[in-house]
Amino acid sequence: MSNTRCRIAPSPSGFLHIGTAKTALYNWLFAKKTGGVFILRLEDTDAERTDEQYVHGMCEGFRWLGIEWDEGPEFGGVPEKGAYGPYRQSQRRELYRAEALRLLDEGKAYKCFCTKEEIDAFRKDRPHDRFMSPWRDAAPSKVAAMGDAPSAVRFKVPEGETVLHDVIQGEVRWNNREYDDFVILKPNGDPIFHLAVVVDDAHMKITHVIRGDDHLTNAARHVMLFEALGFPLPQYAHHPLVHDEQGRKLSKRMHGANVLDWRDDGYLPEAIINYIALLGWTSEEENREFFTLDELKDHFTLERLTKSAARFDRKKLDWLNGQHIRRLSVEDFRDRILPILEAQGFDVRARTPEWLTRVAEICQGKIPTLNQIVQQTDFFFRPVTPYEEAGVKKHFHMDGRLCLEAVLGVFASTDDWTSKTLHDAVQALADRMGTGLRKLVHPIRLALTGKTVGPGLFELAELLGKKTCLERIEDALAYIAALDEL
Ligand code: GLU
């Protein structure tokens, strides 16, 4: 095993956002590719914004995608894993305190007794200046005289420049004058995000921090803290955020911002993984877009992460989903659609596994999302009326009636009830009638399924069985007759 250690550090204040899933995926792929370890750490210090329900939603999202963590907190009955725990920041407060006190001892941080009112007044008077605490260079006697008065711990931002060599952004430089002496420990002893994230990354021996570029400005503070604490700096890679189809930041409220929305809409986790991989990474094989998880693990490199923001492209996602559906074994596909059919109240348990597999087989190449299996197969499980209106207008007229009468006779005398025999019999009928096969196919399809499109007609007729087919054609004839009488 290599020493690569990557992490995803979400704040569980919502569901698993597609952007967080993307960040997790890149870390996970990089860890797997290099034989390293992927860690889940919950940044749950903000008790008010943390809700166990969100922790659950987030972890469930990772599980559904198949992004398993090698180290991380207890979840769903699986105990905490890993030697660098605990993996929830809320349980690591003492560690942050200890490191903040060390910085205090070493003169790299100081106690600031300024009240909120004083700071607010400063900011109001001098909105463009950085806040300089009068306690930065206060005499030790003056500090001692304050005793236990409430104080924050502020980091003493050093003079000079901070430089980061980011894998994606290249060299980034900041003039430290742009930064206040930022608080690292609040008066109540709680750490500020910047301290917690650095202490955790350092103590958990994180080697690579791949995260959204909304954290790039924070990175300056993180580099300063790493240097002050004397820990080796991880390799940073700040990747761009995902934009919506209009080029705006992907809103949390948008349907689909939650990874599990896609599950509910009938998308495969394999397709979502493939799609989000492409939202900021390109293969060295030009124009290649389809990847399985194993292929991504083989091909993924940090060097091919892109610098520009990707736009969400629903068409591409749908295409990929269709491709991943086609790639499943028919049994796997069948097992994924059965719960969807059951949820519709269709009695799939009354059918044999062989029959269900055949149904799966004739639909697998047709649907872009799993949920569309319902409209492709509902006629197997429930009556076909009402017929599709446009179909009735087009196919249930005088000609259609004559066709269906002829087909009824042919079907009634067919005993070898297979798609091939049915096809040949209807073809022979078309030849006798001096018409094309399609002319017959349309009214038969409408009679058997109530629809104008669907799986292959002779295949579905075979699966419906002779009795049902004859009944449905008779029903359609009665329906047309009633129409004619109107
Ligand atoms: N908790 C931060 C977030 O959810 C992540 C911080 C980091 O990756 O360094 O955006």
Side-chain angles (χ1 to χ4, degrees):
M1 196 180 273
S2 76
N3 69 351
T4 304
R5 292 177 59 82
C6 297
R7 53 41 166 206
I8 182 74
S11 310
S13 52
F15 47 74
L16 178 57
H17 190 271
I18 199 102
T20 310
K22 177 180 131 180
T23 302
L25 177 65
Y26 292 169
N27 280 285
W28 185 81
L29 285 173
F30 185 66
K32 297 295 141 186
K33 162 102 193 229
T34 53
V37 166
F38 173 70
I39 296 151
L40 170 65
R41 178 173 83 221
L42 296 178
E43 304 215 322
D44 61 346
T45 37
D46 190 344
E48 270 164 36
R49 285 174 56 213
T50 302
D51 184 325
E52 285 311 306
Q53 183 192 322
Y54 293 146
V55 172
H56 188 88
M58 197 161 255
C59 293
E60 201 188 324
F62 287 131
R63 280 274 155 87
W64 178 69
L65 287 172
I67 300 180
E68 287 288 335
W69 50 95
D70 306 300
E71 297 179 17
E74 184 276 330
F75 173 65
V78 181
E80 178 179 286
K81 301 184 266 193
Y84 296 84
Y87 293 90
R88 294 184 70 140
Q89 285 190 337
S90 56
Q91 297 165 1
R92 300 171 64 83
R93 286 202 160 81
E94 280 316 306
L95 217 62
Y96 310 131
R97 249 186 95 68
E99 291 292 21
L101 294 182
R102 182 158 73 87
L103 289 176
L104 265 183
D105 281 352
E106 292 173 7
K108 294 172 182 164
Y110 59 90
K111 282 188 179 178
C112 172
F113 295 90
C114 290
T115 61
K116 185 172 177 308
E117 291 69 35
E118 282 169 325
I119 299 167
D120 287 349
F122 175 93
R123 295 212 197 281
K124 199 164 166 238
D125 287 353
R126 297 165 61 184
H128 303 298
D129 290 348
R130 62 178 178 150
F131 173 68
M132 285 303 258
S133 168
W135 294 94
R136 184 179 225 254
D137 299 307
S141 57
K142 212 174 148 203
V143 176
M146 293 301 286
D148 282 340
S151 65
V153 177
R154 283 184 187 271
F155 177 69
K156 221 181 234 181
V157 169
E159 293 286 301
E161 246 191 355
T162 299
V163 184
L164 175 71
H165 298 278
D166 188 278
V167 176
I168 301 170
Q169 310 292 332
E171 186 184 274
V172 190
R173 290 177 174 271
W174 295 274
N175 187 331
N176 291 359
R177 284 210 188 134
E178 289 167 29
Y179 292 90
D180 287 358
D181 285 348
F182 50 97
V183 172
I184 50 177
L185 218 54
K186 294 187 215 170
N188 68 2
D190 279 351
I192 289 289
F193 160 69
H194 304 301
L195 176 70
V197 80
V198 167
V199 170
D200 286 344
D201 284 342
H203 284 237
M204 293 182 178
K205 301 211 164 28
I206 300 301
T207 56
H208 295 76
V209 173
I210 307 166
R211 62 183 179 185
D213 64 6
D214 50 334
H215 285 294
L216 189 59
T217 50
N218 294 332
R221 295 188 181 90
H222 300 173
V223 173
M224 290 182 216
L225 280 172
F226 261 102
E227 285 170 356
L229 288 163
F231 292 118
L233 197 63
Q235 178 76 68
Y236 283 93
H238 288 92
H239 61 79
L241 301 180
V242 183
H243 287 173
D244 66 13
E245 295 188 271
Q246 284 71 43
R248 291 173 307 228
K249 200 179 142 188
L250 206 67
S251 153
K252 275 199 167 183
R253 284 179 296 278
M254 185 195 94
H255 180 78
N258 178 353
V259 164
L260 291 179
D261 289 342
W262 298 105
R263 174 192 67 184
D264 300 343
D265 288 351
Y267 287 75
L268 300 188
E270 292 91 331
I272 300 295
I273 289 272
N274 188 167
Y275 182 67
I276 59 182
L278 301 178
L279 282 174
W281 173 83
T282 53
S283 157
E284 66 274 327
E285 283 172 58
E286 217 177 313
N287 296 329
R288 172 159 180 199
E289 297 198 306
F290 182 89
F291 289 91
T292 64
L293 195 54
D294 283 338
E295 289 167 347
L296 282 173
K297 273 191 235 167
D298 286 344
H299 288 73
F300 186 80
T301 55
L302 291 183
E303 287 67 35
R304 295 204 62 92
L305 287 175
T306 52
K307 208 170 165 177
S308 51
R311 277 199 190 195
F312 204 86
D313 179 350
R314 180 65 184 264
K315 274 208 191 95
K316 192 194 278 186
L317 172 58
D318 286 356
W319 175 78
L320 279 174
N321 200 51
Q323 298 296 309
H324 280 276
I325 287 180
R326 318 263 181 284
R327 215 187 144 268
L328 299 176
S329 72
V330 67
E331 291 77 17
D332 188 356
F333 175 67
R334 176 199 63 198
D335 293 345
R336 298 198 204 205
I337 57 176
L338 287 185
I340 299 173
L341 296 175
E342 267 192 310
Q344 290 291 317
F346 299 160
D347 190 6
V348 293
R349 287 170 196 274
R351 313 294 179 135
T352 63
E354 295 73 33
W355 186 88
L356 291 166
T357 309
R358 285 280 292 133
V359 168
E361 200 169 52
I362 66 171
C363 298
Q364 191 172 2
K366 301 243 170 196
I367 54 175
T369 68
L370 293 179
N371 287 3
Q372 295 198 16
I373 195 65
V374 175
Q375 69 210 55
Q376 286 280 319
T377 60
D378 53 356
F379 57 85
F380 283 118
F381 304 98
R382 65 182 178 207
V384 293
T385 46
Y387 299 107
E388 226 174 69
E389 226 178 274
V392 170
K393 282 207 186 95
K394 249 168 127 181
H395 308 302
F396 276 4
H397 39 57
M398 198 50 199
D399 267 8
R401 182 176 178 174
L402 293 177
C403 291
L404 283 178
E405 274 166 358
V407 169
L408 184 64
V410 167
F411 274 15
S413 59
T414 302
D415 288 322
D416 175 29
W417 198 258
T418 62
S419 59
K420 165 102 179 55
T421 313
L422 292 171
H423 170 271
D424 293 351
V426 175
Q427 179 69 63
L429 173 67
D431 294 345
R432 283 200 301 280
M433 292 171 73
T435 177
L437 183 66
R438 288 184 49 198
K439 185 134 188 248
L440 297 179
V441 161
H442 290 305
I444 308 177
R445 177 183 292 286
L446 191 60
L448 297 186
T449 70
K451 301 170 201 255
T452 51
V453 287
L457 177 67
F458 299 106
E459 285 78 10
L460 73 87
E462 178 188 322
L463 291 168
L464 272 173
K466 181 169 177 175
K467 185 167 167 284
T468 306
C469 287
L470 296 183
E471 281 166 10
R472 288 191 178 177
I473 294 176
E474 277 166 5
D475 289 347
L477 285 168
Y479 178 88
I480 301 173
L483 276 185
D484 287 348
E485 278 163 22
L486 288 180

